[in-house]
């Protein structure tokens, strides 16, 4: 089936995720992927005027929540994934693609869902058993976002299964229904 048609929005944020080819780990150290990601996110902010609300890098994928006031999510994501893949490939000496499929996206249209998505993104390392507190994961921008102590504690309390499954399901919808 064909991929769902992209909806370009300047009003609502997107939850974006992209995974490496065959779910393999990125072929270079995670701290290098993190460095490249931050560099490209900064460049993307300047070039495409995107506003990043959350970013977490895992060993074979990433999650972000991003606004695109210019309704240019496709241009930004093409820039980000292409350049990140190129940087990883060059350092790893690989010639094949890094990302296994197009990025997955979901538009966030209400505040309650937005809060759940932010929590879901920052809890990725927690759910993977890599840390016991979201703020301890080194490849997350949670501490740069200016959250207060109560917000951080709330993010560390597990997202109810129903909400977590709903977010995952919305990101899996690749086919036109």
């Amino acid at each position: 089936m064909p991929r769902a048609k992209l909806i370009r929005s300047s009003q609502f944020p997107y939850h974006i995720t992209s995974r490496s080819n065959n779910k393999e780990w990125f072929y270079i150290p995670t701290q290098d992927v993190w460095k490249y990601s931050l560099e490209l996110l900064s460049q993307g902010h300047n070039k495409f005027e995107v506003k990043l609300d959350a970013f977490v890098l895992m060993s074979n994928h990433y999650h972000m929540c991003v606004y695109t006031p210019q309704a240019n999510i496709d241009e930004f994501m093409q820039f980000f994934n292409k350049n990140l893949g190129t940087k990883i490939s060059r350092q790893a000496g690989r010639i094949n693609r890094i990302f296994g499929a197009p990025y997955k996206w979901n538009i966030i249209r209400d505040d309650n869902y937005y809060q759940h998505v932010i929590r879901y993104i920052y809890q990725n390392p927690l759910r993977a058993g890599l840390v016991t507190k979201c703020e301890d994961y080194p490849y997350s921008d949670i501490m740069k976002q200016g959250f207060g102590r109560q917000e951080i504690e709330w993010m560390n309390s597990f997202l109810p299964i129903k909400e977590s499954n709903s977010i995952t399901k919305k990101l899996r919808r690749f086919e036109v229904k």
Side-chain angles (χ1 to χ4, degrees), residues 15 112-124 126-127 134 153-168:
H15 177 194
N112 188 45
Y113 185 64
Y114 172 82
Q115 291 175 1
H116 287 309
V117 167
I118 296 295
R119 195 171 172 191
Y120 177 89
I121 289 171
Y122 287 129
Q123 283 189 357
N124 243 266
L126 215 58
R127 285 191 306 277
C134 297
E153 286 176 16
W154 177 77
M155 287 199 212
N156 281 319
S157 64
F158 275 100
L159 185 64
I161 297 289
K162 180 181 174 186
E163 281 77 11
S164 181
N165 288 344
S166 171
I167 292 167
T168 302

Side-chain angles (χ1 to χ4, degrees), residues 2-177:
R3 181 180 162 111
K5 185 176 179 177
L6 179 65
I7 300 169
R8 291 170 187 85
S9 174
S10 60
Q11 184 179 7
F12 300 110
Y14 293 86
H15 177 194
I16 303 281
T17 188
S18 192
R19 186 174 303 278
S20 65
N21 196 29
N22 296 323
K23 297 184 180 181
E24 296 169 350
W25 284 28
F26 292 118
Y27 307 100
I28 62 175
T30 307
Q31 65 259 19
D32 293 347
V33 180
W34 177 248
K35 180 184 77 168
Y36 294 143
S37 296
L38 294 180
E39 191 179 287
L40 292 167
L41 289 168
S42 177
Q43 290 173 15
H45 169 74
N46 294 332
K47 185 173 182 174
F48 300 99
E49 300 179 29
V50 298
K51 180 185 177 283
L52 187 70
D53 279 359
F55 184 75
V56 171
L57 174 68
M58 300 298 284
S59 59
N60 67 358
H61 70 284
Y62 64 79
H63 286 266
M64 72 170 76
C65 180
V66 63
Y67 282 92
T68 57
Q70 304 302 316
N72 57 353
I73 189 66
D74 50 339
E75 294 171 15
F76 167 69
M77 288 307 300
Q78 196 266 344
F79 163 83
F80 183 76
N81 273 359
K82 179 181 180 234
N83 286 293
L84 183 57
T86 298
K87 287 176 180 289
I88 294 169
S89 291
R90 280 190 187 141
Q91 184 174 330
R94 292 185 53 89
I95 57 170
N96 294 326
R97 64 184 178 182
I98 298 299
F99 294 102
Y103 61 91
K104 295 179 184 180
W105 60 274
N106 188 39
I107 290 183
I108 304 167
R109 291 193 165 110
D110 71 68
D111 289 336
N112 188 45
Y113 185 64
Y114 172 82
Q115 291 175 1
H116 287 309
V117 167
I118 296 295
R119 195 171 172 191
Y120 177 89
I121 289 171
Y122 287 129
Q123 283 189 357
N124 243 266
L126 215 58
R127 285 191 306 277
L130 302 174
V131 292
T132 57
K133 294 180 182 176
C134 297
E135 66 270 27
D136 291 342
Y137 188 65
Y139 309 115
S140 164
D141 73 347
I142 192 169
M143 297 310 287
K144 295 178 183 175
Q145 293 293 349
F147 293 116
R149 191 79 240 146
Q150 284 184 323
E151 292 167 309
I152 300 257
E153 286 176 16
W154 177 77
M155 287 199 212
N156 281 319
S157 64
F158 275 100
L159 185 64
I161 297 289
K162 180 181 174 186
E163 281 77 11
S164 181
N165 288 344
S166 171
I167 292 167
T168 302
K169 183 178 178 182
K170 286 180 181 181
L171 282 171
R172 286 191 179 142
R173 58 132 181 74
F174 255 85
E175 294 80 32
V176 176
K177 303 283 184 210

